[in-house]
């Protein structure tokens, strides 16, 4: 069993829809990361959180430490949100363990 | 802007050739990492370095070697490339005190 599981693997939405991507992990962590990988391949960090909730524009990330679960929400989705969204966790050694990613396609 | 750069961005080579991928950063970070990404799989750690004199193997280091020439430079070598090393390779950096990693643009390597 992978240490970091994401669902769904693929997601297609219509522009304007509310989107949720889920991440579950099975190990103790010091932080959870949400990353975005665009079709060109580059990876950028969206959020790093260890408790509660963070918001940046239309993106919201939440984490439930007791349940070992995090969600990434996108409100009012737009075609430019189309990308691969990756969940990763860091432990005491601060190395990252990655999920396999969620391919999001937002149709106009 | 402080940045992480990788060269080359794309490389096609043949089985058995030695290949070097280079990573440079201007962020002043001590920690550097090399990952590979295969379709449908999460990024996997090849090697990491916490400073110039500290280099460690990751989960998939076989067939790879690294060199940390300076705080700002971390190179990955494939001693004798094989087709299943065809992948997207990423370099990343982080502060000693932080969890967040900053990624380079990636190198797409094809081994024929």
């Amino acid at each position: 069993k992978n240490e970091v599981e994401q669902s769904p693997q693929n997601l297609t939405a219509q522009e304007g829809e509310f989107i949720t991507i889920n991440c579950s992990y099975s190990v103790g962590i010091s932080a959870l990361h949400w990353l975005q990988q665009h079709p060109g391949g580059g990876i950028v960090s969206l959020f790093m959180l260890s408790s509660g909730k963070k918001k940046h524009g239309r993106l919201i990330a939440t984490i439930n430490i007791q349940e070992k679960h995090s969600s990434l929400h996108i409100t009012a989705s737009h075609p430019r949100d189309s990308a691969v969204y990756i969940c990763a966790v860091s432990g005491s050694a601060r190395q990252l363990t990655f999920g396999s990613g969620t391919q999001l396609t937002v149709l106009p | 802007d402080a940045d992480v750069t990788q060269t080359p961005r794309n490389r096609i080579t043949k089985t058995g050739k030695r290949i070097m991928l280079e990573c440079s950063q201007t962020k002043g970070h001590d920690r550097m990492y090399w990952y590979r990404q295969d379709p449908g799989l999460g990024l996997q750690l090849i090697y990491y370095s916490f400073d110039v004199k500290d280099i460690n193997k990751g989960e998939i280091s076989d067939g790879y070697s690294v060199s940390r020439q300076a705080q700002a430079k971390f190179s990955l070598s494939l001693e004798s490339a094989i087709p299943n090393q065809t992948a997207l390779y990423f370099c990343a950096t982080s502060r000693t005190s932080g969890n967040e990693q900053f990624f380079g643009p990636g190198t797409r390597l094809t081994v024929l």
Side-chain angles (χ1 to χ4, degrees):
Chain A
K1 186 181 187 301
N2 292 333
E3 293 180 342
V4 182
E5 298 273 1
Q6 285 185 239
S7 63
Q9 289 188 327
N10 292 281
L11 179 57
T12 300
Q14 292 295 135
E15 184 174 356
E17 287 185 3
F18 181 84
I19 288 163
T20 296
I21 300 170
N22 296 298
C23 176
S24 296
Y25 55 93
S26 58
V27 295
I29 67 169
S30 57
L32 184 139
H33 308 250
W34 283 102
L35 309 167
Q36 182 189 55
Q37 183 173 22
H38 276 285
I43 297 173
V44 295
S45 178
L46 297 174
F47 294 103
M48 183 175 66
L49 64 167
S50 55
S51 65
K53 174 180 170 179
K54 287 191 175 181
K55 184 175 188 291
H56 184 221
R58 295 179 295 105
L59 274 60
I60 303 166
T62 64
I63 188 169
N64 184 319
I65 297 294
Q66 286 73 29
E67 295 185 4
K68 292 187 166 58
H69 181 268
S70 175
S71 293
L72 176 68
H73 305 287
I74 304 175
T75 61
S77 59
H78 189 277
R80 65 175 175 267
D81 296 326
S82 297
V84 175
Y85 291 84
I86 301 170
C87 173
V89 299
S90 51
S92 57
R94 298 199 178 95
Q95 294 172 50
L96 294 182
T97 301
F98 297 83
S100 57
T102 295
Q103 173 70 61
L104 172 65
T105 303
V106 181
L107 302 174
Chain B
D1 280 345
D3 214 345
V4 183
T5 57
Q6 292 182 232
T7 56
R9 296 292 312 279
N10 287 282
R11 182 72 184 267
I12 299 173
T13 191
K14 294 183 178 179
T15 298
K17 294 289 187 182
R18 185 178 189 273
I19 296 297
M20 179 180 285
L21 309 183
E22 299 189 347
C23 177
S24 295
Q25 53 114 347
T26 57
K27 290 187 170 294
H29 292 169
D30 287 323
R31 298 186 172 192
M32 298 186 74
Y33 309 81
W34 275 106
Y35 296 97
R36 68 176 276 175
Q37 185 182 40
D38 297 279
L41 298 178
L43 280 82
Q44 295 174 278
L45 182 63
I46 306 172
Y47 270 95
Y48 60 102
S49 170
F50 285 171
D51 65 40
V52 174
K53 296 181 180 178
D54 181 15
I55 293 178
N56 305 278
K57 292 182 178 181
E59 51 191 315
I60 55 162
S61 59
D62 287 349
Y64 301 95
S65 63
V66 291
S67 172
R68 185 83 184 265
Q69 302 95 321
Q71 188 206 35
K73 295 185 182 295
F74 192 34
S75 299
L76 175 72
S77 293
L78 286 67
E79 299 302 325
S80 179
I82 56 177
N84 76 1
Q85 291 178 312
T86 293
L88 191 54
Y89 290 84
F90 286 98
C91 173
T93 73
S94 70
R95 297 182 186 88
T96 300
S97 58
N99 285 301
E100 186 176 7
Q101 293 189 14
F102 299 84
F103 289 83
T107 294
R108 188 169 298 279
L109 176 66
T110 302
V111 183
L112 302 176

